[in-house]
Amino acid sequence: MRQINLALIGFGNVARDFAALLLEKKAAIAARYQVEFVCTTIATARHGIVNCLTGIDLAAALATVAAGQSLATMAQMVALPDTAAAIAASQAAVMIETTPLSLNNGEPTVSYISQALRQGCHVVTANKGPMAFQSRELRALAQARHCQFRYESAVMDGTPVFNLVEHTLPLATVKEIAGIVNSTTNFILTAMEQGQDYQAALAEAQRRGIAEADPSLDIDGWDAAVKLCVLANGLLDANLQPAMVSRQGIGELTPAMVMAARANQQKIRLIARLTNNQGQVTAQVRPEYIPADSIFYNIDAFSNLLLIETDLMGKLAIVEQDPALRQTAYGLFSDLLTIIAATKTN
Amino acid sequence: MRQINLALIGFGNVARDFAALLLEKKAAIAARYQVEFVCTTIATARHGIVNCLTGIDLAAALATVAAGQSLATMAQMVALPDTAAAIAASQAAVMIETTPLSLNNGEPTVSYISQALRQGCHVVTANKGPMAFQSRELRALAQARHCQFRYESAVMDGTPVFNLVEHTLPLATVKEIAGIVNSTTNFILTAMEQGQDYQAALAEAQRRGIAEADPSLDIDGWDAAVKLCVLANGLLDANLQPAMVSRQGIGELTPAMVMAARANQQKIRLIARLTNNQGQVTAQVRPEYIPADSIFYNIDAFSNLLLIETDLMGKLAIVEQDPALRQTAYGLFSDLLTIIAATKTN
């Protein structure tokens, strides 16, 4: 049985569900991979920054946080002054990174990931900022340190997108991508088609924890633009930055426009598009009229779709229906297991 | 550069497009995998059974067959009496199997695959028969001989289905599958919705090479039932046989029924369903009324869809839009590259 140390940087809803998944699947992980995961560090803004090199009891940590208490109150915990110190002291083989980040520059996440990679630690992140803003630097660093840097959850939660292309479409080149990748705007547009008003729909999306804290990032198409950058940089080794994406949000759409489209057997959806023209990658986000026979037509509410056109496999679409928190946690989990499988002989 | 010998058993449209793909991607294969493929055997009912251990010129073989000549007329070819003799003499590391087979028992394909695996040869097949009828035996044999046996193209051409679950959904258990997996019936139903008659639609499907030689296998739901067995046996290690699938085809559907559904904002689609209830696998094929808001509603003509529900990732759908011959050839190609990647250190 290999023992693999993990550092959980960020311990919000996603990371906690990931921790629950590790507990639920402990026996299956041992049976399939001959691995036991040991969490040595948890760093969270609200519940303390701690490590315990002999292993943190994750069930107890979940209970402690659920009770609103600090992780530092648990037995054998060593409290650390900040996240950088926690990463440095973690002795982790894999860092699971889920901190809140700025969607303007990807910080502080980029710094945490750089630090971990420099320490020779594999990194799994649910954040889109690092690949959108610093993909070249982070991937070069990972390669130099022989570490994996994985980010499946950054787009469409745990739905295989990066793993799909990497592991199931060998030697195929992505030519075009078109997708519905922002759940908040999709939920609002679906609700408006059903006659609800914009503010009520937005409030409902926020209540369900889908909308970003600042909804303007969703509404203005910025979130979708950032995701296009992750796709371009991850799938095509491009160096696309969010500011380079041509962008139009849904803010100027009126209920009358949505209903008029409906009367015309159309729906309006916020479509993110990426085109690879011999290595020249361009991207745009804008509302489009979707005809009734399109595969995009029935992507409602929180469902997402990515239509990927490659040179060798034509058009493939992958759809995530009605995702929940578990799907994002599963993206982290599958990335972690991919690292474990790839490093089996090391 | 590793030299990998290939035996092409069957050399119809799919195998020839696969051969063309090997030629097109020769440089990319060498760069990515440090491998050169050498075809030592081609066995075909119509154009001869030959081998050449120093390597068959695939471009010349394609030209020879296109000219309607026997492969035995090419220089340095050794003609063999039958396919079994060709497999035995091939010195192949991987067999690419695309022979016509009986959809009643999977022969003669099952025998060819058994022979190759007993010789320690990896096998890639585009046929669904082997996994539908003899999955337990063939997989046990492959395991005993430390060989890979891959069959991505058996369902939805090269669309990642088996590779999707194996490589991108680790430790997830498939609970349910629902799909549109038979292109002939889907094309006929779509054409009938547009007012065309059944016979004209069937003739068009046959002209495009999509319909099976005996269309009753499609129409009666047998092809879809066989594919459900490949899914059940491949994804769930079940031992489901086609005769065990509850089956109803589209033969009793009338244009009036199709148009009545249409008037009711519904479509009729032949849906294949698989349910895994704690390891108890049941399957059925039958026409279903699809409501307008379903993701199945816009799967028209030759497009296929598979909706996969797992315990950890919820509902994922994968869609193949308007496939061509190249997609089936690519399924063989991706399986071959998966074997090459997995045996890199051997």
Side-chain angles (χ1 to χ4, degrees), chain A residues 1 58 88 144 147 290 320:
Chain A
M1 192 75 70
L58 284 177
C147 287
I290 307 294
E320 179 182 36

Side-chain angles (χ1 to χ4, degrees), chain B residues 30-152:
Chain B
R32 177 83 64 89
Y33 298 93
Q34 291 79 51
V35 156
E36 180 188 16
F37 292 115
V38 175
C39 177
T40 56
T41 293
I42 300 177
T44 154
R46 292 171 62 186
H47 302 284
I49 301 174
V50 297
N51 78 16
C52 175
L53 296 179
T54 55
I56 296 170
D57 178 338
L58 283 177
L62 289 169
T64 300
V65 167
Q69 295 181 301
S70 168
L71 294 166
T73 62
M74 291 171 62
Q76 298 187 296
M77 291 291 164
V78 177
L80 291 148
D82 57 34
T83 299
I87 295 169
S90 67
Q91 296 186 8
V94 186
M95 177 171 102
I96 310 294
E97 200 284 320
T98 58
T99 55
L101 87 168
S102 160
L103 272 185
N104 291 314
N105 62 13
E107 287 296 352
T109 296
V110 167
S111 297
Y112 298 154
I113 293 174
S114 296
Q115 183 187 349
L117 292 173
R118 281 195 303 271
Q119 286 178 212
C121 178
H122 303 293
V123 174
V124 174
T125 184
N127 278 315
K128 46 195 171 285
M131 276 301 286
F133 294 100
Q134 297 286 340
S135 66
R136 285 280 163 91
E137 296 78 355
L138 291 174
R139 296 175 80 191
L141 186 53
Q143 194 167 18
R145 300 297 168 131
H146 306 291
C147 287
Q148 293 218 18
F149 169 41
R150 306 196 74 85
Y151 40 84
E152 184 62 80

Side-chain angles (χ1 to χ4, degrees), chain B residues 80-265:
Chain B
L80 291 148
D82 57 34
T83 299
I87 295 169
S90 67
Q91 296 186 8
V94 186
M95 177 171 102
I96 310 294
E97 200 284 320
T98 58
T99 55
L101 87 168
S102 160
L103 272 185
N104 291 314
N105 62 13
E107 287 296 352
T109 296
V110 167
S111 297
Y112 298 154
I113 293 174
S114 296
Q115 183 187 349
L117 292 173
R118 281 195 303 271
Q119 286 178 212
C121 178
H122 303 293
V123 174
V124 174
T125 184
N127 278 315
K128 46 195 171 285
M131 276 301 286
F133 294 100
Q134 297 286 340
S135 66
R136 285 280 163 91
E137 296 78 355
L138 291 174
R139 296 175 80 191
L141 186 53
Q143 194 167 18
R145 300 297 168 131
H146 306 291
C147 287
Q148 293 218 18
F149 169 41
R150 306 196 74 85
Y151 40 84
E152 184 62 80
S153 292
V155 179
M156 286 174 71
D157 310 306
T159 306
V161 174
F162 303 100
N163 289 321
L164 181 80
V165 174
E166 180 180 341
H167 295 294
T168 77
L169 298 173
L171 291 189
T173 299
V174 173
K175 309 301 285 180
E176 287 205 45
I177 290 180
I180 294 175
V181 295
N182 180 269
S183 295
T184 300
T185 49
N186 211 53
F187 182 80
I188 291 171
L189 290 170
T190 303
M192 286 169 77
E193 282 155 13
Q194 292 159 355
Q196 290 181 40
D197 85 352
Y198 174 90
Q199 286 301 336
L202 173 59
E204 172 69 9
Q206 286 174 320
R207 192 188 66 74
R208 298 210 204 177
I210 302 289
E212 299 282 341
D214 175 358
S216 71
L217 295 174
D218 294 316
I219 305 305
D220 296 347
W222 184 256
D223 173 75
V226 170
K227 286 172 177 162
L228 278 178
C229 293
V230 182
L231 291 167
N233 300 342
L235 297 178
L236 292 164
D237 197 24
N239 194 11
L240 191 71
Q241 297 288 315
M244 296 157 66
V245 178
S246 163
R247 186 168 49 83
Q248 182 188 339
I250 66 163
E252 291 172 21
L253 296 179
T254 62
M257 291 162 76
V258 170
M259 296 313 270
R262 204 83 174 101
N264 202 22
Q265 280 80 53

